[in-house]
Amino acid sequence: MPGFDVRAVDLAALNSLTKYPSIPTYHALDPANGSLTEQPVPFTGTVIGTEKVDGTNSRIIVLPDGSYLLGSREELLYAQGDLIGNPALGIVQNLRPLAETLAGARGDTIRVHYLELYGGRIGGQAKQYSTLGATGWRLFDVAVIDDLDERLGWAPQRISAWREGGGQSYLHEDELHEVGLDLTPRLFTVDAAELPPTIEGMHALLGERLPRTLVPLDGSGHGAAEGVVLRTADRSVIAKARFQDYTRTLKRRR
């Protein structure tokens, strides 16, 4: 996209275009009490299970001119070359060196690397990975956003609906591996028919497949895992299954 200048575009639109959309729970949540219902997300074909790392959703946004932005899940925090960055959650401090290695490639699209930054003092479960303050990151998705002249001119409501409705294009599982960055751990690959349809069955699968986190930052962490993300290879269907949701639901039933 010749002549792209991030300081001349609508940053609110750019922020919204590059946010990560909400992921549904594998079993739907009852809005009345927060318990799971016996209504699983329908998958077909091959399903990949990956560890859901408990940290903060972070973005490295590589722009058409080869420069980059850093963001949290909700807001932009830093632009390449700025003297001062928003220190929120340590995203700029921890991810700027990585962003420098990803920047430089020019093109007609925006490429958004979505990472989970975890450990340190990030979130209530940081000590599961390290009690000594170590931090780390794992890549879990990459989106490629095109037609920027049109999309950056959309109204806020249209951008939000496009994003939450699956408008962003993501790299295929094979392409994710080719990025060359550490991914969230791949746990299993199964046919969709093998996924447990019941709450009890998925709770058992979580305990069997992920008894402890596979991404400790050192030997001091407590080791509990948050859960699993289920996805098709092309990411057309995705859902999350968290230990806490299943434990809470089953406890209430008893």
Side-chain angles (χ1 to χ4, degrees):
M1 186 178 182
F4 182 90
D5 181 0
V6 66
R7 300 181 193 278
V9 305
D10 183 339
L11 291 180
L14 179 60
N15 183 41
S16 187
L17 279 174
T18 60
K19 284 182 179 180
Y20 197 69
S22 303
I23 298 178
T25 53
Y26 175 64
H27 284 96
L29 285 168
D30 185 337
N33 58 21
S35 293
L36 297 170
T37 67
E38 296 286 0
Q39 181 182 345
V41 169
F43 279 87
T44 58
T46 300
V47 179
I48 301 160
T50 69
E51 179 173 354
K52 186 178 189 305
V53 182
D54 196 344
T56 186
N57 187 313
S58 309
R59 291 175 280 168
I60 299 176
I61 305 163
V62 181
L63 301 169
D65 63 1
S67 67
Y68 69 84
L69 302 173
L70 294 175
S72 64
R73 184 183 187 97
E74 295 298 328
E75 61 182 330
L76 301 176
L77 303 176
Y78 177 80
Q80 185 180 20
D82 285 351
L83 296 177
I84 298 173
N86 187 325
L89 301 168
I91 291 173
V92 175
Q93 176 186 352
N94 285 283
L95 295 183
R96 185 163 53 183
L98 174 62
E100 293 288 345
T101 71
L102 297 173
R106 296 173 177 265
D108 297 326
T109 63
I110 291 173
R111 194 175 178 95
V112 191
H113 299 75
Y114 297 100
L115 307 102
E116 200 72 23
L117 179 67
Y118 68 103
R121 296 183 179 179
I122 302 167
Q125 299 303 310
K127 290 186 177 180
Q128 301 301 333
Y129 306 103
S130 171
T131 61
L132 301 178
T135 59
W137 55 263
R138 289 287 175 137
L139 179 74
F140 59 88
D141 258 321
V142 175
V144 180
I145 301 172
D146 57 10
D147 295 331
L148 300 180
D149 286 334
E150 175 187 359
R151 299 191 203 283
L152 285 168
W154 286 349
Q157 298 85 349
R158 183 177 181 184
I159 294 176
S160 179
W162 169 82
R163 182 187 68 240
E164 296 298 323
Q168 293 164 325
S169 296
Y170 290 89
L171 296 190
H172 189 277
E173 175 71 7
D174 293 340
E175 295 171 312
L176 271 180
H177 285 273
E178 294 173 358
V179 171
L181 300 182
D182 290 336
L183 301 177
T184 49
R186 272 46 191 162
L187 305 173
F188 56 82
T189 301
V190 299
D191 187 270
E194 298 177 49
L195 290 177
T198 66
I199 291 172
E200 290 85 352
M202 179 53 71
H203 184 251
L205 182 146
L206 290 175
E208 173 188 339
R209 298 286 192 165
L210 191 60
R212 293 180 62 82
T213 180
L214 297 181
V215 288
L217 293 166
D218 52 44
S220 72
H222 301 320
E226 184 187 14
V228 170
V229 174
L230 304 166
R231 55 194 294 159
T232 54
D234 63 0
R235 203 197 168 285
S236 59
V237 184
I238 188 169
K240 59 189 176 185
R242 300 177 297 192
F243 278 100
Q244 65 178 12
D245 293 333
Y246 287 87
T247 300
R248 179 177 62 247
T249 298
L250 293 174
K251 182 178 181 181
R252 287 176 176 174
R253 287 184 175 183
R254 298 188 185 105

